[in-house]
Amino acid sequence: MIAKSMVDYVKGSSVIRAMFEEGKNMAKKYGAENVYDFSLGNPSVEPPKQVKEAMIDVLQNEEPNLVHGYMNNSGYEDVREAIANSLNGRFGTVFGAGNIIMTVGAAGGLNVILKTLLDPGDEVVVFAPFFGEYSNYVKNYGGVLKVVPPSDNFIPDPVEFGKTISDKTKAVIINNPNNPTGVVYSEEDIIRLADVLREKEKEYGKAIYLIADEPYRELVYDGLDVPYLTKYYDDTIVGYSYSKSLSLPGERIGYLVIPNEADDFENVVQAANVANRILGFVNAPSLIQRAVAKCLDAEVDVEAYNRNRELLYNGLTELGFECIKPQGAFYMYVKALGGDDKAFVSKAKEFNLLLVPGSTFFGPGYIRIAYCVDHDMIKRSMGAFKKLAEAYK
Ligand code: PLP
């Protein structure tokens, strides 16, 4: 018999599995080219060719016992050093290997840092709508999720943010560029949030950690800058991932940055290393650690996502759908016609469109379209979106 605590998780995940199964059945019934699956955030763009070359190079040219052995729980020292230097070159920071812990993707990194920081009952603040897994990750360590309601433009509202923080707040998770809205928070937005955090740290006389979840950092359009948060607030911990930036989600590789300025730095680093081990990750996968260190300047073809963004945004707004033009990541967050996102997603299925209800992201009334898909599928889907819009007239 499974744990009682798992029953709800299983129920919740079967919704996503059901959607996946439904997509496969629909493809069998109507032909794959007539089904428009916008449900998953799986990168459609190939990893840069340097990644494959680096993996082959590691396998052929590095000492085998260096590639396949156990290592320090924080990862290879030279890999962490290379990442720190790359960040310093890009953002003017002064990190060293001691500030970096290699993790099993952003998901692994978030779990490591939440295990490191949370005592049961500690509160973690998130901004709606948000990546639904945060709720599970926080619960994993007995934390309590506190949700800041969304603003009209999905930029965090500092006043609402301030109201959500309490003397029990231990951490805040911020995701920029954002899944599911595609919004990018500007430097001014970040400064306003950092001001609130400093004020609240003073009021409650304790550290409040800002966890920057950044798997989409490199996926931005129109030349926008994504502020590097350690420069604005000392108690920041960055979680990065190569899942989207190098299209490597199955390889499970990312890292945490814990700056020297962060409160209780040495204990946090030590505890995060132990957390990496005792959560069962032990260390991030070794081969891909060595490979990404050779690809720190490699980039995926962001322009391919940009072309999808333009096609989808122009097509949907012409049909009368309402949404903010995404500035980053590969998601579009669209108002559900009729107001009920779940009913709208069901209606969309009648036209072979697979979309995700905003409720999954604690943002009802909207749906998420993942446009990390084949460009031609977007073109082919426009007729279905047109029929969907007409169904609500
Ligand atoms: N955070 C956000 C906002 C995401 O969208 C995802 C994956 O889609 C993750 C974290 C987990 O990413 P990873 O594959 O690096 O674990």
Side-chain angles (χ1 to χ4, degrees):
M1 193 165 139
I2 62 167
K4 289 187 197 77
S5 62
M6 284 306 295
V7 174
D8 285 344
Y9 291 118
V10 174
K11 256 193 228 149
S13 69
S14 66
V15 174
I16 298 160
R17 211 170 42 227
M19 187 182 275
F20 184 67
E21 289 303 321
E22 203 160 347
K24 281 202 300 194
N25 290 339
M26 281 164 83
K28 263 191 222 146
K29 198 164 162 193
Y30 304 108
E33 70 288 359
N34 300 316
V35 176
Y36 318 109
D37 188 346
F38 291 100
S39 61
L40 281 184
N42 211 6
S44 51
V45 168
E46 280 295 296
K49 69 175 186 339
Q50 292 100 305
V51 175
K52 195 170 175 183
E53 288 165 2
M55 289 174 90
I56 292 169
D57 185 44
V58 170
L59 285 172
Q60 286 182 334
N61 299 321
E62 300 216 11
E63 288 172 48
N65 58 358
L66 194 68
V67 183
H68 302 301
Y70 283 126
M71 70 196 79
N72 186 314
N73 301 132
S74 53
Y76 290 113
E77 172 99 13
D78 60 331
V79 170
R80 293 184 291 130
E81 185 87 47
I83 289 173
N85 289 338
S86 161
L87 291 173
N88 297 342
R90 288 179 67 191
F91 305 116
T93 47
V94 288
F95 302 132
N99 299 110
I100 311 286
I101 297 179
M102 302 307 294
T103 62
V104 176
L110 285 167
N111 275 276
V112 163
I113 199 60
L114 291 170
K115 175 142 185 90
T116 299
L117 297 178
L118 295 187
D119 283 312
D122 280 346
E123 293 178 356
V124 178
V125 173
V126 294
F127 300 91
F130 59 89
F131 179 53
E133 292 287 66
Y134 293 160
S135 158
N136 299 327
Y137 300 164
V138 167
K139 265 192 240 160
N140 280 347
Y141 311 103
V144 179
L145 203 70
K146 291 284 163 182
V147 180
V148 182
S151 65
D152 289 344
N153 58 5
F154 300 120
I155 299 293
D157 175 348
V159 177
E160 289 297 331
F161 179 42
K163 283 193 223 159
T164 314
I165 298 174
S166 81
D167 60 346
K168 295 203 193 84
T169 306
K170 191 69 185 278
V172 174
I173 304 178
I174 192 171
N175 172 220
N176 193 31
N178 191 266
N179 173 14
T181 63
V183 164
V184 174
Y185 309 151
S186 69
E187 183 173 39
E188 291 73 38
D189 300 325
I190 297 302
I191 288 172
R192 280 193 279 269
L193 296 184
D195 285 345
V196 173
L197 279 166
R198 269 187 294 270
E199 220 174 85
K200 291 290 173 184
E201 281 196 331
K202 220 164 158 193
E203 182 180 340
Y204 297 121
K206 58 175 257 190
I208 301 173
Y209 293 92
L210 178 62
I211 301 170
D213 181 28
E214 302 199 336
Y216 301 99
R217 162 164 286 280
E218 323 304 345
L219 306 188
V220 277
Y221 312 109
D222 308 326
L224 279 188
D225 265 340
V226 182
Y228 204 75
L229 297 200
T230 59
K231 297 201 289 192
Y232 301 89
Y233 182 65
D234 284 350
D235 295 331
T236 298
I237 291 162
V238 179
Y240 186 83
S241 164
Y242 295 96
S243 291
K244 322 282 169 163
S245 65
L246 292 181
S247 294
L248 297 172
E251 298 293 348
R252 312 307 305 136
I253 186 73
Y255 59 82
L256 288 170
V257 181
I258 306 174
N260 290 354
E261 295 74 27
D263 185 73
D264 204 15
F265 164 72
E266 295 203 352
N267 284 327
V268 172
V269 168
Q270 209 174 18
N273 271 317
V274 174
N276 216 3
R277 191 186 88 224
I278 67 180
L279 285 172
F281 301 128
V282 182
N283 55 253
S286 57
L287 168 60
I288 195 69
Q289 273 195 55
R290 302 217 69 79
V292 292
K294 293 173 187 283
C295 303
L296 297 178
D297 296 323
E299 288 169 5
V300 288
D301 181 11
V302 178
E303 189 45 36
Y305 294 130
N306 188 29
R307 282 194 296 275
N308 286 359
R309 173 182 79 128
E310 294 292 348
L311 179 64
L312 191 63
Y313 179 76
N314 293 335
L316 291 188
T317 48
E318 255 170 49
L319 290 171
F321 287 98
E322 279 178 63
C323 72
I324 293 174
K325 189 171 187 181
Q327 301 162 307
F330 39 47
Y331 306 108
M332 208 170 280
Y333 205 54
V334 182
K335 253 193 192 156
L337 298 178
D340 178 337
D341 52 312
K342 287 184 179 153
F344 182 73
V345 164
S346 297
K347 190 64 159 173
K349 265 189 219 145
E350 292 176 20
F351 303 100
N352 294 356
L353 285 164
L354 295 176
L355 316 171
V356 182
S359 313
T360 315
F361 308 96
F362 294 66
Y366 286 79
I367 53 98
R368 188 193 76 173
I369 302 179
Y371 58 86
C372 42
V373 294
D374 177 35
H375 192 71
D376 284 338
M377 190 192 90
I378 301 180
K379 280 189 193 158
R380 291 197 308 273
S381 72
M382 281 303 151
F385 276 113
K386 186 161 187 259
K387 286 184 197 151
L388 178 61
E390 277 163 4
Y392 282 86
K393 277 188 183 142

